[in-house]
């Protein structure tokens, strides 16, 4: 027994040193985790204004500052890009890409407003005629919004650009890279204030499973665009909801599912600002919470993926449902 105690005493420093090393190791790991958590939180909070309505003002050169009202936080970036000119004097062509329902069309309209220009629009393009126009059977020239913007100036938005036929868009290559375009009635020079924007969900290299209808575009065509990503803007989303308490409770569900779908890499859920606004409208109209979720977020999503998503967001779903149902009940009293 005496020998055993001597041996234990002799080994005590080594045991203490081992324990100290392990403790320091785990302490460093904990500190690293805390540092990462704080950094992630700071990144999320950067520029966050508590969801209060945020008016956007834009200043271009010597022109007066323009207040465009409630708008996406990246609108000033878009306008500055559209205002830039190349050595030949023409404006940059900007490819605006981001998830569905993030307000790309609205942004293009706001950009036109900020620049003091008219706004023109077209959807997915199947043939070059939809852009360049044509001469009908009676010999009359049929003009297009693109022609009007090209000839008279203005912001032209080609929405759903990545759902357009590549061959139809390739007809634009010479025009958008220069200052002359061939229309049915002849060559027309590009107006100095013709601004061309493409709205898309992808960068033009195909849509994968999420945006399966998006087509891979020609590389030469894509090279003629400056790219600007258009992601979700939580502050804008909050501002669009107004002061409706039900809507502000509902947006918690959409955002929880948005983050969960991204973190778990689950595809199929509709968690855009459009889902936020549509869901809020349905709830205000008296539709049940569960039906609203099915109609605006799930939208036929497969059972396996939906189960994974709802398991991750079960707490947020439960709390929001309880709060909204109470608001509806109190309103009906």
């Amino acid at each position: 027994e005496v020998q055993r105690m001597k041996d234990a005493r002799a080994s005590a420093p080594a045991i203490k040193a081992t324990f100290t090393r392990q403790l320091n190791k785990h302490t460093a790991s904990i500190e690293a985790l805390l540092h990462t958590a704080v950094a992630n939180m700071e990144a999320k909070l950067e520029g966050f204004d508590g969801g209060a309505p945020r008016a956007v003002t834009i200043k271009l050169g010597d022109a007066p500052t323009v207040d465009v009202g409630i708008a996406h936080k990246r609108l000033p970036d878009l306008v500055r890009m559209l205002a830039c000119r190349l050595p030949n004097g023409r404006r940059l062509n900007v490819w605006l890409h981001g998830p569905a329902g993030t307000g790309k069309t609205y942004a293009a309209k706001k950009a036109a407003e900020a620049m003091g220009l008219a706004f023109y629009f077209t959807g997915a393009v199947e043939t070059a005629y939809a852009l360049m126009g044509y001469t009908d059977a009676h010999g009359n020239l049929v003009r297009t919004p693109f022609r009007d913007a090209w000839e008279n100036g203005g912001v032209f938005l080609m929405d759903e650009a990545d759902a357009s036929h590549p061959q139809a868009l390739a007809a634009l290559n010479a025009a958008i890279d220069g200052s002359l375009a061939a229309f049915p009635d002849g060559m027309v020079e590009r107006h100095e204030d013709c601004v061309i924007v493409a709205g898309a969900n992808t960068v033009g290299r195909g849509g994968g499973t999420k945006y399966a209808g998006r087509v891979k575009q020609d590389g030469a065509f894509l090279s003629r665009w400056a790219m600007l990503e258009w992601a979700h803007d939580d502050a804008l989303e909050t501002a669009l909801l107004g002061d409706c308490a039900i809507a502000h409770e509902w947006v918690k569900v959409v955002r929880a599912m948005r983050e969960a779908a991204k973190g778990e890499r689950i595809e199929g859920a509709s968690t855009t600002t459009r889902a936020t606004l549509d869901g809020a409208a349905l709830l205000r109209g008296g539709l049940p919470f569960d039906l609203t979720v099915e109609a605006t977020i799930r939208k036929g999503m497969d059972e396996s993926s939906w189960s994974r998503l709802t398991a991750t967001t079960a707490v947020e779903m439960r709390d929001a449902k309880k709060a909204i149902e109470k608001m509806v009940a109190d309103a009906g009293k």
Side-chain angles (χ1 to χ4, degrees):
E1 179 64 21
V2 170
Q3 185 60 46
R4 187 184 66 79
M5 292 178 65
K6 287 181 178 179
D7 292 341
R9 183 180 299 172
S11 62
I15 294 173
K16 180 179 179 181
T18 300
F19 177 78
T20 301
R21 284 197 301 271
Q22 292 296 323
L23 179 62
N24 291 338
K25 178 182 176 181
H26 290 300
T27 300
S29 298
I30 293 170
E31 288 177 347
L33 288 172
L34 288 173
H35 178 77
T36 301
V38 171
N40 290 339
M41 183 62 70
E42 288 176 344
K44 289 183 178 181
L45 290 175
E46 184 179 357
F48 180 68
D49 57 5
R54 179 195 58 234
V56 174
T57 58
I58 296 173
K59 173 73 172 174
L60 291 176
D62 296 330
T65 299
V66 178
D67 184 349
V68 294
I70 304 301
H72 196 284
K73 62 185 177 183
R74 298 211 72 180
L75 183 64
D77 293 333
L78 174 61
V79 174
R80 282 192 289 266
M81 290 178 71
L82 296 177
C84 292
R85 294 185 186 273
L86 296 173
N88 63 4
R90 76 164 176 82
R91 307 273 193 176
L92 262 68
N93 308 309
V94 176
W95 185 282
L96 199 61
H97 63 96
T102 50
K104 295 181 290 294
T105 302
Y106 181 74
K109 289 180 181 178
K110 284 291 186 179
E113 178 185 333
M115 300 175 76
L117 299 173
F119 177 72
Y120 302 93
F121 167 90
T122 194
V125 177
E126 291 296 324
T127 68
Y129 299 115
L131 294 170
M132 311 310 290
Y134 57 94
T135 302
D136 67 16
H138 302 287
N140 299 315
L141 175 67
V142 178
R143 295 176 64 94
T144 64
F146 176 74
R147 169 68 180 270
D148 291 336
W150 181 273
E151 188 172 356
N152 303 318
V155 174
F156 171 75
L157 173 66
M158 182 169 57
D159 205 10
E160 307 290 341
D162 52 350
S164 298
H165 196 291
Q167 195 169 6
L169 296 186
L172 278 180
N173 281 356
I176 63 176
D177 204 32
S179 59
L180 286 174
F183 291 94
D185 56 337
M187 301 296 291
V188 179
E189 189 170 354
R190 180 174 182 167
H191 191 281
E192 64 177 5
D193 286 327
C194 172
V195 181
I196 303 175
V197 182
N201 297 130
T202 70
V203 294
R205 299 190 181 97
T209 57
K210 186 172 185 179
Y211 296 109
R214 278 16 187 190
V215 184
K216 184 178 180 181
Q217 300 297 324
D218 179 71
F221 173 74
L222 291 175
S223 71
R224 288 160 164 81
W225 301 85
M227 299 277 182
L228 180 63
E229 184 177 7
W230 206 257
H232 289 285
D233 182 347
D234 285 354
L236 173 61
E237 182 177 53
T238 299
L240 293 174
L241 295 175
D243 58 359
C244 175
I246 289 177
H248 286 279
E249 199 63 43
W250 166 251
V251 76
K252 295 177 184 177
V253 175
V254 179
R255 288 177 181 168
M257 289 203 162
R258 184 183 297 161
E259 290 301 314
K262 182 179 178 181
E264 298 291 328
R265 297 183 179 180
I266 301 172
E267 295 190 352
S270 176
T271 57
T272 66
T273 300
R274 188 174 294 133
T276 298
L277 299 177
D278 289 351
L282 292 175
L283 291 168
R284 286 196 301 268
L287 270 76
F289 179 87
D290 292 339
L291 178 56
T292 298
V293 171
E294 288 283 336
T296 61
I297 299 179
R298 183 174 183 179
K299 289 188 173 182
M301 191 175 173
D302 68 87
E303 186 63 39
S304 176
S305 297
W306 182 246
S307 295
R308 287 172 57 204
L309 187 60
T310 52
T312 307
T313 59
V315 174
E316 290 85 356
M317 292 269 286
R318 180 201 64 205
D319 292 348
K321 180 178 180 180
K322 183 178 180 180
I324 290 171
E325 288 179 346
K326 183 178 186 305
M327 291 177 196
V328 172
D330 291 344
K333 291 180 179 178

